[in-house]
Amino acid sequence: MTNSTAKSFYLGCAVWSYKGWVGDFFPPKSPAKDFLSLYAQRLATVEGNTTFYAVPQQATVERWAAETPPGFKFCPKVPKAITHEGLLVPHIEAALSFCDRMAYLGDRLGPIFAQLPPSYNPQQWDDLQEFLTKLPRDRFSFALEVRHRDWFEESNAERLNQLLRELAIARVLLDTRPIYNAPDDPQLASERRKPQLPLQPSVTAEFSLVRFISHPEDEYNCRYLQEWEQWIKSELEGGTQIYFFVHCPIEARSPHIAGSFQHQLESAGVPIPPLPSDRPPQSPDQLSLF
């Protein structure tokens, strides 16, 4: 569960293993086996997108924990075999088993989040309520992302938010505005498969999880990152812990946009911890900043 001794703000990307970062975000000639440890030297958290496609072996999860420093957090995504195969309740045992597997991350485990498909709508309310209620909330922190547009209608949104507040489950905040409010570009096509949904920045737990779908060009992100700057400042002052993830259609840009946002927040006086790469060097050969 989230605790008061944890950091207040975690910044990261969707993945840690991207070959295109070698020679830029990662040192030249970095082998794939070092990607996780190199990533964790520079950013504080990562989405566990890999778990969406397959449940890793226990030994793999233990290795992830061993390759990251204290304070680093994984936010694993519930496998699509659980969230994208119709109703949720028939998969509750699989969900509990997945949580138990993620427990091997130890103190590197952040919130576990479930992303529901656009086909899952408020008519499945009873199924969703039962599923969320049965999650082991005494042992883990959870977040939920909904994608059917009806969830964002006022009555449905408030009903969902109330349930999440009662269960201390965070509502994932997906911001796709930068890629939709920009000129058409073929390189945005893959990210524009994400639904264009209203942004309703509701906080329903002691922490919040934000997924910012950035544009590769900074000029199309500035307006929205300024809004997030003010929101983050206000929420941190209110005691909310925040996980902020930067996605980009051109993955090579993701860590740089994240690093730029970190410096923006610092320049604005927002009380956030430094990135690992911004701390005093521990060895003469420590890599440079973003």
Side-chain angles (χ1 to χ4, degrees):
M1 298 290 289
T2 304
N3 62 73
S4 59
T5 61
K7 289 188 293 187
S8 58
F9 182 75
Y10 293 85
L11 180 67
C13 298
V15 299
W16 69 75
S17 183
Y18 180 67
K19 292 181 180 179
W21 290 343
V22 175
D24 183 14
F25 185 53
F26 295 155
K29 300 182 180 180
S30 296
K33 66 179 180 63
D34 292 344
F35 285 177
L36 176 56
S37 61
L38 289 170
Y39 176 99
Q41 290 173 28
R42 293 156 183 75
L43 291 168
T45 186
V46 69
E47 278 189 18
N49 270 345
T50 182
T51 61
F52 184 65
Y53 301 101
V55 179
Q57 297 294 318
Q58 176 182 329
T60 299
V61 178
E62 291 175 336
R63 175 169 53 80
W64 291 347
E67 291 179 358
T68 53
F72 185 84
K73 296 294 184 182
F74 292 86
C75 295
K77 187 186 290 188
V78 175
K80 64 179 181 179
I82 295 172
T83 57
H84 284 57
E85 297 294 334
L87 296 177
L88 299 171
V89 170
H91 302 287
I92 188 63
E93 291 301 323
L96 298 179
S97 177
F98 174 72
C99 292
D100 287 339
R101 182 62 52 83
M102 292 302 100
Y104 287 98
L105 286 169
D107 61 7
R108 292 350 184 235
L109 178 59
I112 297 171
F113 79 99
Q115 178 190 90
L116 301 184
S119 59
Y120 194 97
N121 61 56
Q123 294 181 8
Q124 278 80 50
W125 174 264
D126 291 343
D127 176 70
L128 178 62
Q129 184 178 40
E130 182 176 353
F131 178 81
L132 295 179
T133 302
K134 289 184 176 179
L135 291 176
R137 291 168 289 111
D138 58 332
R139 298 175 54 210
F140 304 95
S141 294
F142 293 97
L144 177 74
E145 179 179 336
V146 292
R147 290 190 162 194
H148 192 287
R149 181 167 287 275
D150 286 357
W151 288 113
F152 296 82
E153 295 179 356
E154 184 175 357
S155 60
N156 291 326
E158 182 50 41
R159 188 184 190 195
L160 176 60
N161 290 343
Q162 182 58 38
L163 174 64
L164 296 179
R165 291 187 194 100
E166 292 172 0
L167 300 178
I169 294 175
R171 182 165 179 175
V172 174
L173 307 181
L174 175 66
D175 188 358
T176 60
R177 293 175 299 172
I179 59 170
Y180 281 106
N181 298 336
D184 287 339
D185 189 326
Q187 66 188 359
L188 301 182
S190 63
E191 287 301 302
R192 280 184 170 169
R193 289 199 297 267
K194 290 184 170 64
Q196 186 178 11
L197 297 168
L199 178 63
Q200 298 175 342
S202 303
V203 176
T204 59
E206 294 180 352
F207 69 96
S208 186
L209 197 155
V210 180
R211 306 179 73 224
F212 182 76
I213 314 303
S214 64
H215 193 283
E217 298 180 27
D218 291 339
E219 63 180 297
Y220 298 110
N221 298 321
C222 290
R223 167 187 167 189
Y224 306 111
L225 288 177
Q226 288 174 352
E227 292 178 10
W228 282 115
E229 173 193 311
Q230 296 303 313
W231 183 88
I232 289 169
K233 182 176 185 296
S234 176
E235 289 299 326
L236 291 178
E237 289 174 349
T240 304
Q241 185 186 59
I242 297 170
Y243 292 82
F244 194 98
F245 294 102
V246 174
H247 296 238
C248 187
I250 299 178
E251 195 62 60
R253 293 285 300 148
S254 296
H256 298 280
I257 294 169
S260 177
F261 186 47
Q262 169 82 15
H263 297 153
Q264 174 185 327
L265 293 172
E266 292 173 341
S267 297
V270 180
I272 59 173
L275 289 174
S277 56
D278 291 341
R279 292 171 185 156
Q282 296 181 354
S283 62
D285 58 350
Q286 186 181 27
L287 294 171
S288 61
L289 305 182
F290 292 90

